[in-house]
Amino acid sequence: MIVARLILLFGLLLGATGSAQIGEPVVRYPAATLGPQFRFPRDHGAHPDHRIEWWYFTGWLRTADGKPLGFQITFFRSRPEIAQSNPSAFAPRQILFAHAALSDPATGKLVHDQRVARSGFGLAGAATEDARIALLDWSLTRRPDGTFLAKTGARGFGLELAFQPRQPAMANGDRGYSRKGPRPEQASYYYSVPHLKVTGTVVRPGRKGVVSGEAWLDREWSSTLLPETAVGWDWAGINLDDGSALMAFQVRGKDGRPLYSGGTLRRPDGSQTVLAPADVRFVPRRRWRSPATGASYPVEADFLVRLPEGVRRFRLRPLFDAQELDGRRAGMPAYWEGAVTTEGGRGYLELTGYAEALRL
């Protein structure tokens, strides 16, 4: 979804890159429009003309002794308002950013780290023909057999994971054109790959262990941000035990009411139902107050989804409450992003705009 990863990226990068210099041509970003379906493997790769893009992995892991862990790995690409004709080798035509987090219920803590660099100089780059990203000592690649490989060596933890698709990509919205607001240009190109099989290793202080599990990949690229009155959003990606999958979201306004909602439900037979704004309701059931930020997050909530056969309730419960990512010291927002369960499934929930209204 549009998620905190968008704000997290822009919060870090806009100050670092600035806007177009006086006299430079105005950057024109292409808009997301209803059009051709996705082309693979091309659309696993970067789309450098668009303003922002991400590869977002979330999921559940189990250690060799059966203990659960939640994790998130995200790689971003951004095209700043810098003229592409600028002859300087130091002009930041593309910015690469990555973020990773690990939720461990044994400690009741979430740890996270990030990397950022402009493209070029052998430091960072994102290929266009397939998923292949290098960012300092972090990387994401896609092998010919379709397996994604991610490596993040972070402070206090490290992730080296392989993601093997077991289902085809799930186009969200109208064949991948996903509305995020009432205006047609408030949209992205968006697909998900649910039910990824995960294997690899996790490094934590004093130990390195083999893990396995299941994950979700979100891929989006866009040039237009959210409605100006948006203050945050609630998003979930859920892998269900019967092989089905749910993506659902709502964008909230200043009064807490939804400005726009949507989603996709894929059934076990592969058929999909696209969820319109009237088909999705997010209903808080229990809140957790952060001792660090004072924000009150609806960490237990229902996504109510209206389907042709009737309304279906997905009650989401957290792996543990304290999965707030407080990035204020690094100039990032504070938001809640954590592993959750539902009856017959598990996935990730993202809650933004509760600590403070996100400045879009």
Side-chain angles (χ1 to χ4, degrees):
M1 234 291 283
I2 39 245
V3 295
R5 43 196 180 274
L6 184 152
I7 299 301
L8 184 146
L9 173 64
F10 274 88
L12 281 177
L13 297 185
L14 289 182
T17 61
S19 59
Q21 300 297 311
I22 296 175
E24 289 186 341
V26 175
V27 174
R28 290 182 173 86
Y29 300 102
T33 58
L34 183 60
Q37 296 183 346
F38 297 118
R39 295 178 294 116
F40 298 114
R42 165 66 188 88
D43 283 325
H44 292 310
H47 301 79
D49 289 343
H50 287 267
R51 186 174 189 178
I52 188 167
E53 179 170 22
W54 54 80
W55 297 251
Y56 177 58
F57 294 88
T58 58
W60 283 65
L61 303 171
R62 286 205 174 272
T63 62
D65 57 358
K67 301 295 177 60
L69 299 169
F71 79 93
Q72 171 266 117
I73 299 173
T74 312
F75 284 82
F76 304 87
R77 178 207 54 78
S78 174
R79 179 188 174 191
E81 294 182 3
I82 300 294
Q84 302 298 294
S85 59
N86 190 316
S88 172
F90 294 95
R93 296 176 179 84
Q94 299 286 332
I95 300 291
L96 277 298
F97 174 75
H99 188 263
L102 186 69
S103 294
D104 186 351
T107 63
K109 294 181 179 180
L110 180 148
V111 292
H112 61 95
D113 200 5
Q114 61 278 323
R115 297 287 188 274
V116 62
R118 67 186 67 189
S119 62
F121 302 102
L123 299 176
T128 58
E129 68 275 9
D130 205 338
R132 189 169 65 252
I133 304 172
L135 176 54
L136 304 175
D137 57 333
W138 291 21
S139 63
L140 173 67
T141 58
R142 181 178 171 274
R143 298 191 312 208
D145 68 357
T147 302
F148 294 88
L149 303 174
K151 183 178 181 181
T152 64
R155 291 172 294 180
F157 71 104
L159 301 170
E160 191 165 342
L161 302 175
F163 304 94
Q164 180 182 353
R166 294 180 291 182
Q167 295 184 359
M170 181 175 81
N172 296 307
D174 190 341
R175 292 166 291 168
Y177 166 72
S178 176
R179 295 275 296 270
K180 301 302 191 299
R183 298 203 304 267
E185 67 272 17
Q186 294 165 343
S188 68
Y189 296 111
Y190 184 12
Y191 68 86
S192 304
V193 185
H195 291 285
L196 292 160
K197 179 182 178 181
V198 187
T199 56
T201 57
V202 172
V203 177
R204 287 174 286 173
R207 52 183 164 160
K208 179 179 181 180
V210 174
V211 293
S212 60
E214 191 171 52
W216 179 290
L217 168 62
D218 261 7
R219 282 283 289 116
E220 286 193 76
W221 56 98
S222 179
S223 296
T224 305
L225 301 182
L226 302 175
E228 295 81 0
T229 54
V231 298
W233 48 82
D234 310 293
W235 169 93
I238 305 296
N239 289 317
L240 295 158
D241 296 341
D242 63 1
S244 57
L246 172 72
M247 184 280 293
F249 71 90
Q250 73 165 8
V251 179
R252 302 187 319 278
K254 294 179 180 179
D255 59 1
R257 296 180 180 179
L259 295 174
Y260 205 84
S261 305
T264 307
L265 177 74
R266 173 185 276 175
R267 294 175 173 82
D269 64 3
S271 63
Q272 294 182 193
T273 296
V274 176
L275 305 172
D279 298 330
V280 177
R281 284 184 60 209
F282 182 78
V283 182
R285 296 299 183 188
R286 183 176 65 82
R287 292 180 177 270
W288 169 78
R289 184 171 297 278
S290 165
T293 64
S296 178
Y297 295 101
V299 296
E300 187 172 324
D302 291 344
F303 263 115
L304 300 176
V305 176
R306 187 173 65 183
L307 302 168
E309 61 269 28
V311 175
R312 184 172 175 182
R313 183 185 75 170
F314 296 86
R315 172 67 58 88
L316 306 180
R317 296 179 173 88
L319 176 62
F320 60 93
D321 286 356
Q323 296 182 81
E324 182 186 47
L325 196 158
D326 184 0
R328 294 173 298 172
R329 290 185 178 180
M332 301 185 297
Y335 59 99
W336 198 96
E337 181 181 48
V340 295
T341 62
T342 192
E343 184 177 358
R346 60 196 54 80
Y348 250 66
L349 173 65
E350 189 174 67
L351 307 167
T352 75
Y354 291 95
E356 61 180 348
L358 292 175
R359 296 179 295 274
L360 303 184

